[in-house]
């Protein structure tokens, strides 16, 4: 019986020990965190207004390493010269005042959601226009404090940033948009920003932009000197290439079609005045509307863009087709006037000949001696004169193909139409050759 009591006593003692160890384990992972936070951030123990010391506790500047994760790029506006980006922004530095005991590796880090509890770098985005934090469902921010005093600050933010653009090659251009981060109040003697080693900038996979492609990004430093000192600055340059297929379908091909439609008037009869006028005016107004729509989506810059050259030349061709009909109409009326004058002259000559014949018939007393103009075969003098004429005669010139071809069209108005049918397409094709070779070559040089 004594042995049974001894067994139950050992079992009860073992149960108490296991329960005590379980309670201690819970306290180590939850209650211990509270005690550590109270120990390092308690009143009178930590002052968030004082910056951390330098490397290895020296009096040098605090080193803050930056890391970015670009989640999305929403819009890139040409007319406002800005772009919107959503990113996860991370800072990491060491504050030796925040060192704590990790309980033999059980506490990997402490997590805070209140940034004002610890010292924070006074970083700002120098080219920012607008920005906001994300607070759904909870504020998207955290601070992790590691046992060695290292602090990691992470936050999700959306920014609208200025992006000065050079639109000389628009829409065959590439644009560089920067993201600049600098210290507002601490000079380089107190605070230095550095890019995180390895991979300081990450971009989400399958980043989709409607009219641009992100080709690459570069990180660099941009420290600035002012009257109050030198301030640390970081920047990342995003290189965007404009997608040309959109503009080819929406601008270039419709403009080409309008120019070709304006050439249809060259094949219409010169007497079809309403058809040719309405065709010319319609294409001209459509081309002007197309040009206005393009300029409405771009800022009013002082230099000439590639799209301005294209639309300007296309508008000139359409306007030239309308002027060609005015010239044809004028030439047609001139041809009719000349034809009427010739007809009147022929009528007057015929009337004078009729009057002379009537006069000869009535004057029977008058006789006229007329020598024959035909050369007799045996006349030696005539043969000699003929030889002299043959010596001085020049060989006939070779016929000109263009003049021979144009001689098939008797009126000047018809000739103008025929020449325009060939001249306008050839000149437009030559313009396309010069335009694309020039701007594509300049694009390669800029690249």
């Amino acid at each position: 019986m004594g042995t049974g009591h001894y067994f139950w006593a050992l079992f009860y003692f073992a149960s108490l020990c296991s329960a005590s160890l379980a309670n201690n384990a819970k306290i180590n992972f939850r209650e211990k965190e509270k005690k550590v936070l109270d120990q390092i951030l308690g009143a009178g123990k930590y002052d968030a207004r004082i910056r951390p010391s330098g490397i290895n506790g020296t009096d040098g500047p605090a080193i803050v390493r930056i890391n970015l994760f670009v989640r999305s790029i929403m819009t890139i506006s040409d007319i406002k010269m800005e772009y919107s980006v959503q990113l996860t922004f991370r800072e990491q530095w060491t504050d030796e005042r925040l060192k704590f005991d990790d309980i033999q590796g059980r506490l990997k880090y402490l997590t805070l959601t209140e940034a004002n509890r610890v010292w924070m770098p006074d970083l700002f985005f120098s080219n920012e226009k607008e920005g906001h934090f994300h607070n759904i469902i909870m504020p998207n921010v955290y601070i992790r404090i590691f046992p060695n005093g290292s602090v990691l600050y992470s936050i999700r933010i959306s920014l609208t940033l200025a992006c000065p653009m050079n639109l000389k090659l628009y829409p065959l251009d590439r644009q560089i948009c920067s993201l600049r981060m600098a210290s507002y109040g601490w000079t380089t003697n107190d605070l230095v920003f550095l890019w995180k080693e390895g991979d300081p900038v990450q971009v989400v996979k399958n980043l989709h932009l409607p009219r641009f492609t992100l080709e690459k990004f570069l990180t660099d430093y941009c420290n600035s000197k002012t009257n109050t000192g030198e301030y640390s600055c970081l920047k990342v340059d995003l290189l965007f290439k404009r997608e040309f297929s959109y503009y080819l379908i929406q601008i270039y091909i419709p403009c080409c079609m309008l120019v070709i439609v304006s050439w249809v008037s060259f094949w219409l009869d010169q007497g079809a005045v309403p058809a040719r006028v309405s065709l010319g005016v319609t294409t001209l107004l459509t081309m002007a509307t197309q040009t206005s729509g393009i300029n409405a989506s771009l800022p009013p810059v002082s230099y000439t863009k590639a799209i301005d050259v294209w639309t300007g030349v296309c508008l000139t061709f359409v306007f030239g087709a309308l002027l060609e009909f005015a010239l044809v109409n004028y030439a047609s009326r001139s041809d009719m006037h000349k034809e009427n004058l010739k007809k009147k002259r022929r009528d007057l000559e015929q009337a004078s000949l009729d009057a002379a014949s009537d006069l000869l018939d009535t004057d029977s007393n008058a006789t006229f001696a007329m020598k024959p103009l035909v050369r007799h075969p045996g006349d030696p003098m005539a043969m000699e004169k003929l030889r002299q004429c043959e010596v001085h005669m020049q060989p006939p010139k070779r016929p000109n193909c263009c003049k021979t071809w144009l001689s098939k069209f008797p009126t000047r108005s018809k000739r103008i139409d025929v020449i325009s049918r060939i001249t306008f397409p050839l000149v437009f094709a030559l313009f396309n050759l010069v335009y694309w070779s020039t701007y594509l070559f300049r694009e390669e040089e800029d690249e």
Side-chain angles (χ1 to χ4, degrees), residues 83-120:
Y83 72 105
S84 299
V85 61
Q86 183 186 125
L87 51 88
T88 298
F89 173 75
R90 304 186 187 99
E91 296 176 305
Q92 192 164 7
W93 66 94
T94 300
D95 192 342
E96 295 187 355
R97 297 172 295 176
L98 299 177
K99 289 183 177 181
F100 62 89
D101 183 14
D102 60 353
I103 313 176
Q104 298 178 354
R106 294 184 178 183
L107 286 180
K108 295 182 178 180
Y109 52 82
L110 304 175
T111 301
L112 297 177
T113 56
E114 299 175 1
N116 58 356
R117 295 289 302 276
V118 298
W119 175 88
M120 292 290 299

Side-chain angles (χ1 to χ4, degrees), residues 172-199:
L172 300 168
D173 57 334
R174 285 178 168 84
Q175 301 298 336
I176 298 177
C177 295
S178 299
L179 175 63
R180 295 174 176 266
M181 300 159 286
S183 172
Y184 191 81
W186 298 98
T187 63
T188 52
N189 296 326
D190 298 312
L191 179 62
V192 173
F193 290 122
L194 297 177
W195 286 112
K196 183 180 179 181
E197 297 178 357
D199 193 9

Side-chain angles (χ1 to χ4, degrees), residues 1-13:
M1 194 68 176
T3 306
H5 284 290
Y6 180 74
F7 173 77
W8 285 110
L10 288 177
F11 179 77
Y12 179 73
F13 180 75

Side-chain angles (χ1 to χ4, degrees), residues 421-433:
R421 293 173 189 174
I422 300 174
T423 305
F424 273 72
L426 286 179
V427 176
F428 190 68
L430 180 62
F431 161 70
N432 273 271
L433 179 63

